[in-house]
Amino acid sequence: MSTECIDDGQQDLTRLYQDHHPWLLQWLEKRVQDRLQAEDHAQDTFLRVITAKKTPNLNEPRAYLTTIAKRLLINHCRRNSIEQAYLARLAAYPEEKVISAEDSAIVLEVLREIDELLNQLPAKVRKAFLLAQLDDLTYAEIGQQLGVSDRMVRKYMAQAMFQCLSAGY
């Protein structure tokens, strides 16, 4: 790859940032109602663009940036939801059973990793796994809820378990 190509790519990214960062920041701020959080999400959006294996030829740069930013906002909301559920559950424990702040941070990080892992699964596979693990439903009950056979639930569970095992969980 010639240095001209690298320079052109870098110039394109610089131009994309200069031309669209103020707009994206404003767009994000309307959604999150917090300037600092909007700035973080804008930076994360451009970081995703910069670290992408291949930067697409952008005919609609704002649509591209919006798509990335929306995905980041969804992930952020999901992580916050997990954290809030964990903290609520933790608050319900008697004081003598509460874990240290350090251990709590480790648990939260593992929960986020598991969420990220499960989010990579197809929706029905993820739902089947969560129904089995969290709601303790039988495969027949899961099949009824998802509208699939017991055999398909077994396949879903095998796929989810393989995903967890391959990630070391």
Side-chain angles (χ1 to χ4, degrees), residues 100-114:
S100 70
E102 185 178 309
D103 288 341
S104 183
I106 291 168
V107 170
L108 272 173
E109 183 59 32
V110 169
L111 285 172
R112 287 184 191 118
E113 288 174 9
I114 292 170

Side-chain angles (χ1 to χ4, degrees), residues 124-138:
K124 282 191 174 182
V125 175
R126 180 176 54 251
K127 180 82 171 166
F129 181 78
L130 292 173
L131 288 170
Q133 299 301 314
L134 301 179
D135 297 338
D136 206 26
L137 297 183
T138 66

Side-chain angles (χ1 to χ4, degrees), residues 85-99:
Y86 169 71
L87 292 174
R89 193 70 178 250
L90 195 59
Y93 279 94
E95 233 179 273
E96 62 273 2
K97 297 216 178 197
V98 174
I99 62 176

Side-chain angles (χ1 to χ4, degrees), residues 146-158:
L146 297 179
V148 298
S149 67
D150 292 6
R151 185 175 180 186
M152 187 56 73
V153 173
R154 281 187 187 76
K155 285 183 179 181
Y156 290 164
M157 291 301 293

